[in-house]
Amino acid sequence: MKFFHLSDLHIGLKLMNRDLREDQEYILRQITEIAGREQPDAVVIAGDIYDKALPSAEAVEVFDRFISELTEAVPSAVIMMISGNHDSAPRVNCFRSVLSRQKLYMVGQPPRTETEYIEKVTCTDAFGKVNFYLLPFVKPSMVKGVVGVDENGNNFSYNESLRRLIARETIDQSERNVLVSHQFYLPKGVAAEDVERMDSEIPTVGNIDAIAADVLECFDYAALGHIHKPMKVGNERFCYCGTPLACSVSEAGQIKGIVIVELGAKCAGSESKDTDLKITVLPLIPLRQVRIIKGSLEEVLRQASSDYITVVLTDKTDLEVIDMQERLRLAFPNLLEIRRERVRAADYGAERYVEEDMDPYELCCAFLKDADEAEKEILKDVIRTVQERQVG
């Protein structure tokens, strides 16, 4: 059984107010083209289909085109996806029973009553059955009608809720089983704060959503979503595939890709670890990279690019802000931000970003993080007018 593992498409995302529609369409077409070549038996999307619970009409259009083209490229494949914490569970769940008749499973809601169980989709190949358990993003409050509450009437923790939810399932260990889940799983012995998180993720206060990964041991593979950097959860069988496209500057330099999972035969009566498993990652090449360029103004300008660029200027002398902005925007039409770096001799030689060293325009932009280009131009004019009057 060969299937694609994807997650965190975040369709509709804006990168520092840069519309990524063209970039997302480009990467989704690339996924479709690779699927057409590889002809997987199934495609799994482990949550965060959209970037917002109420996606724009344009975002829905992008997703609709992707699914239409994907089903044409791999007409015999089963396509399965779950909602993530960014999605609206009821909206993803809409027409669930109708779509499943077309081998398209969109599961937005986890079990909420005692009669409901995790959606299971069973596929077959030459080695028998492969059971896909589709578990959308879960908050304890969502499933308290299934797993109950503690002795004080309070919801169980994320960890306990997930354990109880999975324990209700009758999982046949003689068959191959795959969990598709969008949660924060931690390998044994690893603290939540030691897991590198990307700026585009939404962590909970105190990492209360952390779940011990040993709950996954009953599965042959766990196709995980939620963490934006590709990573394994203590075992190659439990994998976060990461985003197909960088969603923040913190992801600059990461190699994104499609995780291709091939499940072979399983020894009769064996545990999950005895299943023949092959994992391959096919790189995805974006239309524009997200990069950080560091150096003096003149050094940076020599590296002109159409990529999404964060510039870190290391000049020790003051720069004329209006001229600097214009020159950088000409060299980098998709400039994301400009940072200034200073060396403070009294601070043990450590390089730091020092707010008090920033010029008025930079300070305003740092405060008004969501200002668009038109608003920034107005801001420039205001600052220029004030400066001219001070000189006069």
Side-chain angles (χ1 to χ4, degrees), residues 223-277:
L224 305 178
H226 192 44
I227 303 299
H228 288 183
K229 180 180 180 179
M231 62 174 276
K232 296 178 176 62
V233 186
N235 187 311
E236 69 169 3
R237 296 187 293 120
F238 311 143
C239 175
Y240 284 104
C241 63
T243 57
L245 191 70
C247 296
S248 64
V249 176
S250 62
E251 295 167 63
Q254 288 183 13
I255 297 176
K256 305 295 189 177
I258 301 171
V259 174
I260 301 180
V261 182
E262 295 180 70
L263 284 176
K266 185 168 186 175
C267 298
S270 71
E271 297 296 328
S272 298
K273 63 186 177 182
D274 294 319
T275 301
D276 184 23
L277 176 69

Side-chain angles (χ1 to χ4, degrees), residues 67-128:
I67 295 300
S68 296
E69 293 176 355
L70 186 61
T71 54
E72 290 178 6
V74 282
S76 61
V78 178
I79 300 175
M80 295 168 274
M81 65 193 77
I82 59 173
S83 64
N85 58 304
H86 279 254
D87 296 310
S88 165
R91 285 179 170 80
V92 173
N93 217 58
C94 193
F95 306 120
R96 175 170 165 177
S97 60
V98 175
L99 293 172
S100 64
R101 299 171 199 163
Q102 309 301 319
K103 297 188 298 183
L104 176 60
Y105 296 85
M106 294 183 63
V107 182
Q109 299 278 20
R112 291 170 294 165
T113 68
E114 292 183 356
T115 59
E116 295 178 338
Y117 290 84
I118 299 172
E119 176 92 15
K120 182 173 77 169
V121 177
T122 299
C123 303
T124 57
D125 64 5
F127 301 111

Side-chain angles (χ1 to χ4, degrees), residues 202-316:
I202 303 178
T204 58
V205 176
N207 292 304
I208 61 171
D209 59 339
I211 300 164
D214 61 347
V215 72
L216 305 173
E217 288 294 339
C218 57
F219 297 99
D220 297 273
Y221 183 81
L224 305 178
H226 192 44
I227 303 299
H228 288 183
K229 180 180 180 179
M231 62 174 276
K232 296 178 176 62
V233 186
N235 187 311
E236 69 169 3
R237 296 187 293 120
F238 311 143
C239 175
Y240 284 104
C241 63
T243 57
L245 191 70
C247 296
S248 64
V249 176
S250 62
E251 295 167 63
Q254 288 183 13
I255 297 176
K256 305 295 189 177
I258 301 171
V259 174
I260 301 180
V261 182
E262 295 180 70
L263 284 176
K266 185 168 186 175
C267 298
S270 71
E271 297 296 328
S272 298
K273 63 186 177 182
D274 294 319
T275 301
D276 184 23
L277 176 69
K278 179 183 177 181
I279 297 175
T280 308
V281 180
L282 292 184
L284 291 169
I285 310 302
L287 181 62
R288 305 174 185 90
Q289 298 281 355
V290 175
R291 298 195 291 133
I292 299 173
I293 297 180
K294 181 177 177 180
S296 67
L297 177 60
E298 296 306 322
E299 289 171 341
V300 167
L301 288 170
R302 288 196 291 270
Q303 302 178 59
S305 170
S306 62
D307 287 339
Y308 292 113
I309 300 296
T310 284
V311 167
V312 180
L313 295 174
T314 59
D315 297 83
K316 305 301 186 293

Side-chain angles (χ1 to χ4, degrees), residues 15-16 18 300 305-312 324-339 373 376:
L15 180 61
M16 292 189 178
R18 291 283 181 181
V300 167
S305 170
S306 62
D307 287 339
Y308 292 113
I309 300 296
T310 284
V311 167
V312 180
M324 175 187 72
Q325 292 273 341
E326 291 176 351
R327 293 176 69 190
L328 286 171
R329 292 192 185 283
L330 283 172
F332 305 103
N334 292 303
L335 183 67
L336 296 176
E337 59 180 339
I338 303 169
R339 302 177 187 173
E373 294 305 312
K376 288 180 179 180

